Amino acid sequence: MNVVFVTGNRHKFHEALHILSAYGIHLHQDTKGYIEIQSDSIEEIVLFGIKEVMKRARDKSAYIIEDAGLFIEALDGFPGPYSSYVYRTIGNRGILKLMEGVKNRRAKFVSCVGFCSKDSDPVLFKGEVYGNISWFERGSHGFGFDPIFEFGSTGKTFGEMTPDEKSACSHRFIALKKFANFFMEYEKERA
Ligand code: ITT
């Protein structure tokens, strides 16, 4: 079973490759990108993006895109859908500065995966995990906000987890697991 993942982010691609391989799904990366509209809703961004991807698709391949973001409770959900821009600009150090002296450290990571093919309307799959913003950066694994996100009550940041550990519990894992279960049924019906 082949699926094309349209993403310019090699870390996301490798995590998804690893997660989906357990379901016998072979992932291929398409780095051409897609139009990411500005919206407060990750689902709206993904729905628009996957429709754009389908407009240029010339074959019968199955396509997915994913939008992910870090939502910090004390900052009213910031950076949320603007995570990419915020990471590129103020980065983890800037987030920790905004959180200086803030007692409520609660945050969540959200992943929304959008699937589409010539035979199917778009379908969205969401994954969320809860945790806390750490007081300083910890761990050298992963990417992006991983060193400042303590997962659940483990006290470990994603940056302190091995790739296998993160891929067994992350927001991306939850969304992709839902997608994989859907996609296996979808392939069976088409066979
Ligand atoms: P594409 O849109 O090309 O897929 P992107 O890097 O823009 O790649 P997102 O919009 O999904 O990806 O994510 C926005 C940013 O949020 C991303 O650049 C990271 O800095 C951060 N991020 C997303 N998922 C993450 C994760 O699992 N761990 C840590 N940071 C993450």
Side-chain angles (χ1 to χ4, degrees):
M1 293 183 285
N2 290 300
V3 172
V4 179
F5 184 11
V6 182
T7 177
N9 186 320
R10 67 188 167 86
H11 302 283
K12 284 176 31 171
F13 176 72
H14 284 292
E15 286 188 6
L17 181 79
H18 179 68
I19 292 165
L20 292 178
S21 66
Y23 297 87
I25 296 172
H26 307 291
L27 209 58
H28 306 269
Q29 186 176 11
D30 174 340
T31 55
K32 285 193 205 90
Y34 61 91
I35 297 168
E36 270 189 54
I37 54 162
Q38 284 208 343
S39 165
D40 290 347
S41 154
I42 279 197
E43 287 92 337
E44 205 182 325
I45 295 168
V46 172
L47 193 56
F48 188 91
I50 194 70
K51 284 180 182 165
E52 282 298 303
V53 166
M54 287 318 295
K55 277 188 201 159
R56 71 160 193 252
R58 295 219 163 69
D59 53 19
K60 290 210 150 201
S61 298
Y63 288 89
I64 59 169
I65 62 170
E66 187 226 20
D67 198 42
L70 177 68
F71 294 71
I72 301 173
E73 195 173 282
L75 304 179
D76 293 331
F78 180 85
Y82 309 101
S83 289
S84 182
Y85 178 72
V86 170
Y87 183 75
R88 276 188 281 114
T89 51
I90 64 170
N92 286 338
R93 288 218 298 211
I95 296 276
L96 292 180
K97 198 144 186 55
L98 289 174
M99 292 295 286
E100 254 171 29
V102 177
K103 284 211 181 76
N104 175 8
R105 316 290 297 178
R106 281 196 294 273
K108 66 177 177 180
F109 254 127
V110 179
S111 160
C112 182
V113 170
F115 158 82
C116 204
S117 79
K118 292 272 184 217
D119 306 327
S120 167
D121 287 334
V123 188
L124 306 187
F125 308 89
K126 206 169 165 187
E128 289 186 356
V129 290
Y130 291 83
N132 291 290
I133 299 300
S134 59
W135 291 95
F136 50 92
E137 292 184 58
R138 298 199 325 263
S140 53
H141 291 294
F143 68 101
F145 303 115
D146 281 344
I148 62 165
F149 182 79
E150 289 175 356
F151 172 69
S153 53
T154 61
K156 260 191 188 181
T157 66
F158 271 164
E160 291 173 311
M161 291 185 176
T162 63
D164 278 356
E165 280 178 300
K166 181 185 171 191
S167 286
C169 65
S170 72
H171 49 307
R172 185 157 296 111
F173 164 71
I174 295 170
L176 285 172
K177 190 169 82 167
K178 290 179 187 170
F179 161 69
N181 286 322
F182 160 87
F183 189 64
M184 287 189 300
E185 285 304 310
Y186 166 84
E187 286 286 72
K188 254 194 236 159
E189 278 168 25
R190 283 183 352 137

